[in-house]
Amino acid sequence: MALVLNEEQSMLRDSARGLIGTKAPVSHLRQLRDSKDPTGFSRELWGTFAEMGFSGLLVPEEFGGTGLGCVEAGIIMEEIGRTLMPSPFLSTAVLATLALSRGGTAAQKSEYLTGIAKGGLIAALAVDEGAKHRPLQTAMQATRSGNGFKLSGAKGFVIDGHVADLLIVAARTSGSPGEAGGLTLFLVNPKSKGIAVERTAMVDAHNAARIVFDDVDVTADGVLGEVDQGGVLLEGILNVGRGVVASELLGASEEVFGRTVTYLKERKQFGKLIGEFQALQHRAAHLYCEIELTRATVLKALQLLDENFEAAGPAVAVAKAKAGTTGTLAVQEAVQMHGGMGMTDQFDIGFFMKRARVCQELFGDSNFHADQLARLRKY
Amino acid sequence: MADLDQFRKDTRAWLEANCPPEMRKPMTKEEDTFWGGRNATFSSEPQRIWFERMRDKGWTVPHWPKEYGGGGLDGEEAKILRQEMAAISARLPLVSFGISMLGPALLKYGTDAQKREHLPKITAGSIRWCQGYSEPNAGSDLASLQTRAEVNGDDFIINGQKIWTSYANFADWIFCLVRTDSTAKKHDGISFILFDMTSPGVSTKPILLISGKSPFCETFFDNVRVPQSHVLGQVNRGWDVAKYLLQHERAMISGMGERGVGRPLGQVAADSIGTDDHGHLDDPVLRGQIATFEIDEAALACAAERAVDLAKAGQAHPAFSSAMKYYGTELNKRRYEILMSAGGSDALEWESERSKDGARARAWLRTKANSIEGGTSEVMLGIVAKRILDLPGA
Ligand SMILES: Cc1cc2nc3c(=O)[nH]c(=O)nc-3n(C[C@H](O)[C@H](O)[C@H](O)COP(=O)(O)OP(=O)(O)OC[C@H]3O[C@@H](n4cnc5c(N)ncnc54)[C@H](O)[C@@H]3O)c2cc1C
């Protein structure tokens, strides 16, 4: 497959860019932040996403979706990265949709996927328990009780967990933390008895939640996929999550870089445009190279995820690691080259700085993925 | 698609039947590369057999037209051939500046007669070329070159000095930048000319490098007579040809790190350093450096693949080869720093059987030139800044 977007994909990008650019520029996020909006995103805009077919992008057509792939999801995420629009696209349209369509029974699919495609249902994936992403360290217990299970433990960094209508929870049905086997995914109603959800507004004005589970009853039909075999399913879902978060980082990197290059051509000091200073030119050119490389790795990873997602692991590790370091560099250079302006809240650059930090941490930072690659390559 | 699948099957079978086992190992020393030329010698019988079979198949330059001895393959087929060769670690049968630099310029700017004269000798490896660009006072500022060519009847008379001419002492012909109009602006008075290194008045003097080798020379021209018909492209418009050729040179240099590398760096390091109880490299900091390196290496490979696809889709930026040249060469230097570190004191041996005469140390030193030859990293960044990012200033 060629490492360039085809015609339909370019059209999708253009329409996403048009919609997101006009309806949700960075000022949209700023307004949500300043008004301390209780949801943290616009439900109305999420409705428009559904009308455009974006919320059901990965939902199979039989359930009312468009049945597209990871490359297309990445395209939307890249545009989201350009304006930092907060939305449940990642949590619901990507992670939950994949979890359900890959692991769900016929009944589970028809119950939830249609709702996701229509934009009415918001779902969140609860994996992390510690401050760093370590899925294998999952300790949360799911003990058998009757023909169902009881869940006890705590999750953090649950993206959109504060508004979710459905939680997808990774817990241990056997084995101990660190082991790959023994994980199971559960579909849990957040209104169930014993669940406490605490909204965690984050540095980037997006939302996640801490969720405590205290002897929460889940019936047998709440199991997603096979008992004890959830590890592989989870890894597949996480890999798509990593791939599209890399897209978001790419979009954010591109946007701040574009703004920075523009500034270099406008700002004068010492009677010259600052873009004439070679020290800045070379750093900008280096960053350009990093972004171009990142773009290639992200597209490669997404294409592989569509072709054969089991084999995409190394490519995903490369893309997420690369996007993380490039994003970090892009926002730092942006603030530095904007000088004092870059440090002001009134200026948008800071929003990108904050969001890049969150995306770097989400589903494994660059170090995590470097380690992952080393393990896969056995050294 | 079916055709390409068939092509892949046939290619795999042909390589299997024709590539000698000795030619399926990464190159480790200078003699492993066959450069061709009038005085070429083969370092081994398998090297000769491999070269001749590939030449007869047209696969010394698979994507050039068959009429010039190329393989006539299209982009997809050439990619498949590369992949299949890589899969068995097959060596390149012929490495030459004729293929990677002059050829593309000849195909674009050459007259019919020039193409018929020179291209088949490049694919057949019978003429070895060198590049006469740099001069003592014209390196990064190449267009300030002073070697001059004056008209004399149907000929030019060339006088001047070149420097850093790689393998000038082994080359049969030179492609050379000369000043044909000293009154014009510096870019507008340069011509691109081809001539035989055995012409009277040409002499060379090798320069010793820090790697202990002397692959390049000072080259002197003392009243060298060259027919005017040897100019490639138009007289005084040689800068266009020079720039076009540089794009190819830069693309070639950016890919150098990928050639003949063999095992992944992490594995090479694990072999020499050993692993701990978790199977992790017994040097956690180096392990992290290697993994980070391998991420960038994989990223560069993706970018190279995308560059080809972009070119096919007509979306490539002409200055993108500068970005790749910069990144690829800096990365290759990093690769060799890691290799030296992984090798420890073993990698420091210079004159020993065991170290194949200091192969790794010499290669490490050689890579330091990657970010200088073909335009320095600073110059590449300058090109990206100005031509791609459109930043202001000269
Ligand atoms: C291994 C090797 C093989 C080579 N083979 C050939 C060959 O076959 N034929 C041939 O003609 N030439 C060849 N060269 C020459 C090569 O092209 C030149 O060395 C190169 O262009 C740099 O020129 P210079 O050495 O004169 O360095 P200089 O131009 O003097 O540069 C010195 C330093 O100043 C920096 N610098 C210069 N200008 C700028 C600027 N505008 N902005 C910022 N920094 C700047 C450079 O980046 C460098 O760091 C080869 C060189 C090497 C090392």
Side-chain angles (χ1 to χ4, degrees), chain A residues 1-5 257 261 264-265 273-278 280-286 288-290 292-297 299-300 303 317-319 321-322 325 366-367 369-375 377-379, chain B residues 79 264-267 270 275 279-281 287-288 290-292 294-300 302-303 305-306 309-310 313 315 317 320 322-324 326-327 377-382 384-386 388-393:
Chain A
M1 206 184 300
L3 266 187
V4 287
L5 297 185
F257 181 60
V261 170
L264 293 177
K265 295 176 187 173
L273 294 168
I274 57 172
E276 291 180 59
F277 295 116
Q278 195 179 55
L280 299 191
Q281 289 189 345
H282 285 190
R283 279 159 54 187
H286 171 79
Y288 164 84
C289 294
E290 295 288 9
E292 284 304 307
L293 261 66
T294 303
R295 181 192 312 287
T297 62
L299 191 51
K300 184 83 184 177
Q303 285 184 353
V318 167
K322 191 76 196 150
T325 43
S366 296
N367 293 342
H369 289 292
D371 177 68
Q372 197 80 345
L373 190 75
R375 280 169 197 271
R377 295 191 171 173
K378 301 199 164 35
Y379 62 88
Chain B
K79 187 168 172 179
L265 214 43
Q267 291 296 322
T275 52
H280 292 177
L281 201 61
R287 179 175 183 266
I290 293 177
T292 309
E294 288 192 340
I295 285 160
D296 285 339
E297 183 188 44
L300 185 73
C302 289
E305 183 181 341
R306 185 169 141 85
D309 293 335
L310 280 172
Q315 297 172 21
H317 192 294
F320 192 65
S322 294
M324 294 293 283
Y326 161 69
Y327 209 97
S377 284
E378 291 74 23
V379 167
M380 294 306 104
L381 290 171
V384 171
K386 278 157 201 146
I388 300 183
L389 304 179
D390 201 23
L391 288 173

Side-chain angles (χ1 to χ4, degrees), chain B residues 122-150:
Chain B
I122 293 174
T123 53
S126 56
I127 288 292
R128 180 169 177 177
W129 286 87
C130 66
Q131 176 188 37
Y133 272 32
S134 305
E135 298 183 6
N137 291 313
S140 298
D141 185 13
L142 181 58
S144 64
L145 59 94
Q146 292 304 327
T147 294
R148 59 186 198 284
E150 276 151 2

Side-chain angles (χ1 to χ4, degrees), chain B residues 270-336:
Chain B
D271 287 350
S272 72
I273 294 180
T275 52
D276 65 15
D277 298 346
H278 303 286
H280 292 177
L281 201 61
D282 205 2
D283 180 338
V285 177
L286 185 63
R287 179 175 183 266
Q289 287 172 350
I290 293 177
T292 309
F293 171 84
E294 288 192 340
I295 285 160
D296 285 339
E297 183 188 44
L300 185 73
C302 289
E305 183 181 341
R306 185 169 141 85
V308 173
D309 293 335
L310 280 172
K312 247 185 280 172
Q315 297 172 21
H317 192 294
F320 192 65
S321 61
S322 294
M324 294 293 283
K325 200 270 176 186
Y326 161 69
Y327 209 97
T329 57
E330 294 296 336
L331 202 59
N332 203 37
K333 291 197 295 184
R334 235 167 93 196
R335 173 202 309 283
Y336 275 86

